[in-house]
Amino acid sequence: MIKEFKQFISKGNVVEMAVGLIMAVYFGAIVKSLVDHIIMPPIGMLLGNVDFSNLKIVLQQATVNGGVEVPEVAISYGLFLNTIITFLIVALAIFMVVKGYNRMKSAMEKKEEEIPAAPPAPTKEEVLLTEIRDLLKK
């Protein structure tokens, strides 16, 4: 089992997977920033200066009981909306990348089909018959 694991680790797949994961994490952070700081403020402004991250339904206000602060209990649906928009943008970006990859792959396969295959080499019998024919012509 350890030998198999060493073979798995030594292949490039693990490194490629790690690079892909790191890129995905930072891509997600960029998209989240895009949604939170660029897309949502104008949408909030159009809806009457609403900050989506502050939209929530308060179930219980924050209180102080005997010197102990009890935090607010709320359903933060505005943050949920931001997350949904972030997901949709990431999904669209991934869709566009996969669509481009598939288009490129299809074009490469078409080019391979267009290249005519080399005719097969003559068999030993064909070579022998050709030599006999050539000798008979002389």
Side-chain angles (χ1 to χ4, degrees), residues 9-70:
I9 291 294
S10 67
K11 291 183 180 178
N13 296 343
V14 173
V15 174
E16 292 167 3
M17 191 169 38
V19 169
L21 181 63
I22 291 168
M23 294 298 291
V25 167
Y26 284 102
F27 180 72
I30 290 169
V31 171
K32 181 166 177 26
S33 178
L34 172 73
V35 169
D36 292 345
H37 303 118
I38 295 176
I39 294 175
M40 295 312 283
I43 291 174
M45 187 178 77
L46 290 173
L47 295 176
N49 292 326
V50 175
D51 181 5
F52 278 79
S53 61
N54 293 331
L55 294 178
K56 59 187 171 184
I57 298 172
V58 178
L59 301 175
Q60 178 183 340
Q61 295 287 337
T63 58
V64 178
N65 271 345
V68 177
E69 188 175 326
V70 178

Side-chain angles (χ1 to χ4, degrees), residues 112-124:
E112 287 178 7
E113 290 174 1
E114 290 174 2
I115 299 172
T123 63
K124 290 181 182 180

